[in-house]
Amino acid sequence: LSEIAERQGEPERAAEYFDSAFEASRESAEERERLVGALRTRGRHGMLARALEARLAGASDASQAVAILDELAQVYEDHLGRPDDALATRLRAISLDPIHDLAHRSARALADRTGNKSKYLEVVSRLSDAATDDNRKLELLLHLGRAYGGDPAFDEQARSVYTRAEPLLAARPDEAKTLEVLRALDSIYGRRGEQDAQAAILEKLIAAAPAGTPSEQADPMYRLAAIRLLDASSQERGCELLEKAFALDPQAERVETCLRDTIARIPSSEPALRLLELLGRTTERPRLLLEAILLLHGIGKANTEQLREAVTIARELGEAALRESCLRALLSVMESTVPSA
């Protein structure tokens, strides 16, 4: 009747009919469902929003209320052009069920689309501060961290959130969430240039990496090696990590780049030069092997056997000048090892 009156250009009569139907729906849950279903089918979104609000008042539990609020928010955003009301509705859902994953994901996405991230952060921060249950607090902290989304502008807030979440995870191990927290902290410390803090997190990532995933196991090793190799006192540890990473996930170019960076800073790093030599042998790259041997000779760490090999490589490569240099290096080492008369 309401639709007929509206088509006949009688909006007041149409409203009266709807109000009558709306009042009748208050009589029972069955009537409310019939009204909502009819309005949904007919696409009467303004009336549907009112009916959903009425249905919400009679929700039997938080789970049902969250489902109603989800639909109401969709109606506001998709059909009525009311994004602010949609966000407020989604935040109501979170307040009713603070660890409802879908409610959080929907609210975060809408807050980002409408430029209202601060409203989401305010609600979730308040809920996390008020949480007395550690499981609930952990989930809320993780949702907060996800909301910051790796944005460097929020690194300090995200760092605080994730460092609060880390000890809560220690008491209730969860591989996926542990990796989420550690990877977030790794990124944050990396952007902030806090190498000691990042190195500590990378050590934890290495320990937490799931077995059977070579690339995931190797990546934190590669990155921790790069940090350790910055310091002359931790060359052995850095090279050990590179070897382990390469064994798990061979990335010859990554290893070479890391070693060359190290040698450029610390030319006398014997561990780095030894590993460069090993890389040349392992990857069957004679020029790299020849270079590594000559660099080792430059710091007095190449023996006659290595230098004879270097002479052979230079000859096979057709590098007459390099072969001459290798021969001179070999003669100098041989002369230095000849006992004086």
Side-chain angles (χ1 to χ4, degrees), residues 70 73-79 82-88 90 102-120 147:
D70 179 61
Q74 290 181 53
V75 171
Y76 281 143
E77 183 181 10
D78 297 340
H79 301 290
R82 294 162 59 183
D84 289 343
D85 289 333
L87 179 58
R90 294 210 177 277
L102 178 59
H104 276 279
R105 284 189 280 116
S106 299
R108 277 200 307 275
L110 179 54
D112 284 339
R113 286 198 300 275
T114 58
N116 283 310
K117 181 185 285 190
S118 61
K119 291 183 178 179
Y120 174 82

Side-chain angles (χ1 to χ4, degrees), residues 27-252:
E27 300 295 323
S28 69
E30 183 180 353
E31 287 297 325
R32 286 193 294 274
E33 289 299 325
R34 287 181 59 195
L35 177 62
V36 167
L39 294 172
R40 191 186 289 133
T41 300
R42 288 169 171 76
R44 306 302 298 275
H45 297 110
M47 296 177 181
L48 176 60
R50 283 184 61 190
L52 287 170
E53 284 282 8
R55 185 175 171 226
L56 183 63
S60 59
D61 56 32
S63 177
Q64 185 183 32
V66 168
I68 295 169
L69 287 166
D70 179 61
E71 182 177 3
L72 180 57
Q74 290 181 53
V75 171
Y76 281 143
E77 183 181 10
D78 297 340
H79 301 290
L80 299 180
R82 294 162 59 183
D84 289 343
D85 289 333
L87 179 58
T89 301
R90 294 210 177 277
L91 294 177
R92 284 169 66 190
I94 290 172
S95 295
L96 283 173
D97 187 350
I99 58 173
H100 193 289
D101 188 63
L102 178 59
H104 276 279
R105 284 189 280 116
S106 299
R108 277 200 307 275
L110 179 54
D112 284 339
R113 286 198 300 275
T114 58
N116 283 310
K117 181 185 285 190
S118 61
K119 291 183 178 179
Y120 174 82
L121 293 172
E122 180 183 348
V123 169
V124 182
S125 295
R126 174 172 49 77
L127 290 170
S128 68
D129 289 341
T132 55
D133 175 78
D134 283 350
N135 284 319
R136 174 172 290 197
K137 184 179 285 291
L138 172 62
E139 291 299 324
L140 288 164
L141 288 171
L142 291 176
H143 283 302
L144 270 178
R146 292 163 192 151
Y148 291 124
D151 185 342
F154 292 100
D155 272 350
E156 179 53 36
Q157 295 94 321
R159 183 200 61 77
S160 175
V161 163
Y162 283 121
T163 52
R164 288 163 61 197
E166 194 180 358
L168 294 174
L169 270 169
R172 51 194 58 75
D174 181 304
E175 184 178 279
K177 290 172 184 174
T178 297
L179 289 172
E180 178 183 353
V181 168
L182 293 176
R183 285 169 179 161
L185 286 171
D186 169 34
S187 297
I188 291 166
Y189 289 132
R191 285 193 294 271
R192 290 161 66 96
E194 297 181 25
Q195 289 178 348
D196 289 344
Q198 185 182 17
I201 291 297
L202 286 169
E203 292 279 12
K204 294 178 182 179
L205 267 175
I206 290 168
T213 56
S215 61
E216 288 188 42
Q217 290 175 283
D219 184 66
M221 291 183 185
Y222 276 122
R223 289 186 298 110
L224 180 58
I227 293 175
R228 295 300 184 215
L229 287 169
L230 292 171
D231 187 342
S233 67
S234 55
Q235 297 294 293
E236 294 282 357
R237 173 62 174 153
C239 288
E240 176 192 344
L241 285 163
L242 275 184
E243 282 195 75
K244 287 182 178 179
F246 187 79
L248 284 166
D249 182 23
Q251 296 186 43

